[in-house]
Amino acid sequence: MFNKRILYLPNIDFSSYVKAHTLAVAGGGGGGQIIGGGGGAGGYVSSSILFEPNVQYTVTIGGGGVGSIGYNNTPNTTNGVDSTIAASSYTKETWTRWYSGSTTSEYSPSSSSFGEIIAHGGGLGAGWNSDVGRRPIDNPGGSGGGGSCHRSDDTTDRGGDIIHIFQGNIGGKSSSHPDIGAGDGGGGGGGGANEPGYDALTTSVGGHGGSGLTSKITGTVFKFAGGGGGGTRSTTGNNYSNVGTKGGTFGGGRGGYSTVAAGNSGGATDGTVNTGGGGGCGGYSTSTSSRQGGNGGSGIVIFRVPTAKYSSSTGGPTITYIGSDTIIKFTSSGTITFT
């Protein structure tokens, strides 16, 4: 969440700045196809942050990554999209300052763009066959996507990495199938905000998505950023599994599975909208719809600020009140100004 470069700006008076409890969640990664990996959850930023008054901040909500259709069809899997909060103009006095617990040290935001906060989009879940060039290890995210089942001559089974250590967790490893030369096995689960994605449970069953987190920023429990479940096949031949692989709690999509015969299967599900959940991976099937990976869930940005310090917003956020605080919840992009 932070890149730890200490800022020294002694000539700026921060006493007029507005402290807002802020939660930003990026879009979750798309799930892979045909017993590949689940999508990683969108990265998150959760902190009390100082904003300059009377400066318009642009809030951008990241969309979920696209789940792969499978084999050589398109589209191929993609990472989720970043959610950002950025000042509309940058001056020496216009920037965003982090609070870090009780420490007096201040850190710059995680972006190289001065004054911008970024929650990074979730990593894609690797897919079997067509997504060879889109492995999760080459596409890190807020949380990493799960690894894909692999051929017997390919040892690349590990899940995707993360961009910043405070925004998520790595994806789970896949398995190779011991009896089939192509290496059909189980896909790894996508990483979640609370824990890494699970490795494939057996040589045929995909790993669960990592669990997400909860927040009471809105006054009630808000659940977000679970990883997508890995795809599932069987131990040998046409002995297909009829149990879906769980997505991570709090937004992660379920991994797909196959039933008695190829073509009659339970497809993956999408990550939940506005939670940053990763998409589940497709199961083994000849049916395009059943082998397709789920899309990642879109992100969200929430501010909680003393009512007297909230000025205005655009983009149609949901506004609620708790005691002396105003909660501004963005599920689509807009702007916000504090006073």
Side-chain angles (χ1 to χ4, degrees), residues 230-333:
T232 287
R233 190 182 161 157
S234 62
T235 53
T236 56
N238 292 322
N239 179 25
Y240 297 100
S241 168
N242 61 2
V243 179
T245 303
K246 293 180 181 178
T249 57
F250 312 152
R254 183 200 68 197
Y257 61 97
S258 295
T259 53
V260 176
N264 179 23
S265 67
T269 61
D270 297 339
T272 304
V273 173
N274 295 130
T275 68
C281 178
Y284 188 87
S285 175
T286 59
S287 166
T288 298
S289 62
S290 296
R291 68 193 184 208
Q292 180 174 347
N295 297 324
S298 53
I300 192 169
V301 173
I302 305 172
F303 301 92
R304 181 168 178 166
V305 63
T307 298
K309 298 296 184 180
Y310 168 62
S311 176
S312 62
S313 58
T314 66
T318 301
I319 310 293
T320 56
Y321 304 93
I322 299 178
S324 61
D325 289 345
T326 296
I327 294 88
I328 308 99
K329 181 169 68 176
F330 287 88
T331 55
S332 59
S333 299

Side-chain angles (χ1 to χ4, degrees), residues 135-173:
R135 292 180 173 137
I137 56 175
D138 300 320
N139 295 272
S143 280
S148 173
C149 65
H150 53 281
R151 296 178 182 275
S152 56
D153 60 352
D154 184 356
T155 59
T156 306
D157 62 350
R158 69 184 181 89
D161 207 345
I162 54 177
I163 295 175
H164 288 285
I165 60 174
F166 295 109
Q167 288 202 12
N169 291 280
I170 62 173
K173 293 181 181 180

Side-chain angles (χ1 to χ4, degrees), residues 43-156:
Y44 72 98
V45 172
S46 180
S47 184
S48 291
I49 301 172
L50 287 182
F51 293 96
E52 185 175 356
N54 304 314
V55 169
Q56 186 178 77
Y57 288 85
T58 298
V59 177
T60 303
I61 305 300
V66 176
S68 180
I69 288 181
Y71 285 121
N72 294 318
N73 298 321
T74 56
N76 285 301
T77 319
T78 63
N79 279 20
V81 180
D82 298 344
S83 289
T84 62
I85 306 167
S88 55
S89 63
Y90 299 109
T91 66
K92 184 178 179 181
E93 290 76 23
T94 303
W95 68 299
T96 306
R97 181 191 185 198
W98 298 96
Y99 267 138
S100 180
S102 60
T103 179
T104 58
S105 297
E106 302 301 337
Y107 304 107
S108 67
S110 58
S111 168
S112 60
S113 299
F114 193 61
E116 186 173 21
I117 297 168
I118 297 180
H120 292 279
L124 60 83
W128 184 68
N129 193 345
S130 68
D131 282 349
V132 169
R134 296 173 175 81
R135 292 180 173 137
I137 56 175
D138 300 320
N139 295 272
S143 280
S148 173
C149 65
H150 53 281
R151 296 178 182 275
S152 56
D153 60 352
D154 184 356
T155 59
T156 306

Side-chain angles (χ1 to χ4, degrees), residues 201-227:
L201 302 178
T202 67
T203 55
S204 61
V205 179
H208 296 170
S211 68
L213 289 169
T214 62
S215 171
K216 290 187 176 180
I217 187 173
T218 63
T220 58
V221 176
F222 172 64
K223 304 174 181 180
F224 65 95

